[in-house]
Amino acid sequence: MALFLALIAGCTDVDPAPSPSPEATASISPVVDSSPYWCDFLPQQAVREITGLDVAIEERKTGVPTTHGQCALRNDYDRLSLLWSIRDGDNVLDTARENFGEHQLAALPKDLGTGLIAYTERMPRTRPYYTMMLFRCGDKRPWISVDLSEVRNGRDPVSDLTQLLTIARKRYGQLHKCTPEPA
């Protein structure tokens, strides 16, 4: 996984994605936890509200449900990628900080776990919005990362992605029958 993050960070593109608006507000519509879900953790409607995507999306999932998983949502290219694992969280977080630290928009709230929200200014095809969180759930220290191709103009990416990660962490606990806590 750390190699995957390093490879993504090495990609460069000519046309960057539009920067988050300084007037961004989360008041357009709230991020709500409701089924159905994509990638087991993300409410479909919330993802559509955040990204503004209203096209048909294909979901591709791989992994072992007890230890790790990878999921991509795509139409003409990957619009969202979600990775999770119960292994190597500290190294993945260190790699994320190395690769995306200078582009960090915010740290995660302490009650959510340890991690970051970044915006790399790259093209949408490279999913320039990157999030990563490390937390505890029972005796495990899982991590989840989500990266998006875009955030709808006028939305607050920090607020939206924090709420999306909050839902993902809660869903992780439900699916794995444990109580998520900060790392």
Side-chain angles (χ1 to χ4, degrees), residues 33 40-41 84 133 135-138 142 144 165-181:
D33 184 1
D40 298 325
F41 301 128
W84 72 273
M133 78 174 151
F135 57 100
R136 291 192 180 284
C137 208
I144 298 173
L165 288 175
T166 301
I167 293 167
R169 188 181 84 156
K170 178 182 163 193
R171 287 283 301 155
Y172 179 92
Q174 292 168 342
L175 294 169
H176 295 271
K177 297 178 180 28
C178 58
T179 303
E181 299 175 357

Side-chain angles (χ1 to χ4, degrees), residues 20-21 31 33-34 63 68-69 82 93 98 103 105 107 109 112 117 119 121 135 139 143 165-167 174:
S21 167
V31 176
D33 184 1
S34 64
H68 66 279
L82 181 141
L93 181 57
E98 287 172 26
H103 301 286
L105 294 174
L112 189 55
I117 297 172
Y119 174 70
E121 301 181 12
F135 57 100
D139 61 350
W143 59 269
L165 288 175
T166 301
I167 293 167
Q174 292 168 342

Side-chain angles (χ1 to χ4, degrees), residues 31-38 42-46 167 171:
V31 176
V32 177
D33 184 1
S34 64
S35 64
Y37 294 92
W38 272 323
L42 306 175
Q44 289 181 15
Q45 187 59 35
I167 293 167
R171 287 283 301 155

Side-chain angles (χ1 to χ4, degrees), residues 2-66:
L3 177 60
F4 179 74
L5 291 173
L7 292 173
I8 289 174
C11 296
T12 59
D13 291 298
V14 179
D15 297 327
S19 295
S21 167
E23 300 86 32
T25 176
S27 66
I28 293 173
S29 60
V31 176
V32 177
D33 184 1
S34 64
S35 64
Y37 294 92
W38 272 323
C39 304
D40 298 325
F41 301 128
L42 306 175
Q44 289 181 15
Q45 187 59 35
V47 170
R48 288 195 183 278
E49 289 292 331
I50 292 168
T51 63
L53 291 172
D54 60 359
V55 297
I57 299 288
E58 173 191 353
E59 177 185 53
R60 293 178 298 152
K61 294 192 296 187
T62 62
V64 177
T66 56

Side-chain angles (χ1 to χ4, degrees), residues 27-172:
S27 66
I28 293 173
S29 60
V31 176
V32 177
D33 184 1
S34 64
S35 64
Y37 294 92
W38 272 323
C39 304
D40 298 325
F41 301 128
L42 306 175
Q44 289 181 15
Q45 187 59 35
V47 170
R48 288 195 183 278
E49 289 292 331
I50 292 168
T51 63
L53 291 172
D54 60 359
V55 297
I57 299 288
E58 173 191 353
E59 177 185 53
R60 293 178 298 152
K61 294 192 296 187
T62 62
V64 177
T66 56
T67 60
H68 66 279
Q70 180 175 356
C71 179
L73 302 179
R74 72 178 284 115
N75 60 3
D76 52 338
Y77 59 89
D78 284 357
R79 301 300 188 125
L80 180 144
S81 175
L82 181 141
L83 302 170
W84 72 273
S85 181
I86 60 171
R87 297 185 186 118
D88 210 22
D90 291 310
N91 286 333
V92 173
L93 181 57
D94 289 345
T95 301
R97 286 181 174 147
E98 287 172 26
N99 290 335
F100 304 112
E102 68 186 43
H103 301 286
Q104 184 168 319
L105 294 174
L108 293 183
K110 296 288 184 208
D111 64 333
L112 189 55
T114 306
L116 60 97
I117 297 172
Y119 174 70
T120 65
E121 301 181 12
R122 294 185 183 139
M123 286 184 60
R125 287 183 182 272
T126 67
R127 298 176 313 277
Y129 291 93
Y130 176 81
T131 64
M132 193 275 179
M133 78 174 151
L134 176 63
F135 57 100
R136 291 192 180 284
C137 208
D139 61 350
K140 307 258 187 304
R141 289 189 70 219
W143 59 269
I144 298 173
S145 72
V146 178
D147 46 302
L148 300 171
S149 63
E150 58 206 277
V151 170
R152 180 183 284 188
N153 194 20
R155 297 221 38 127
D156 178 352
V158 172
S159 174
D160 286 349
L161 293 170
T162 299
Q163 291 174 61
L164 197 62
L165 288 175
T166 301
I167 293 167
R169 188 181 84 156
K170 178 182 163 193
R171 287 283 301 155
Y172 179 92

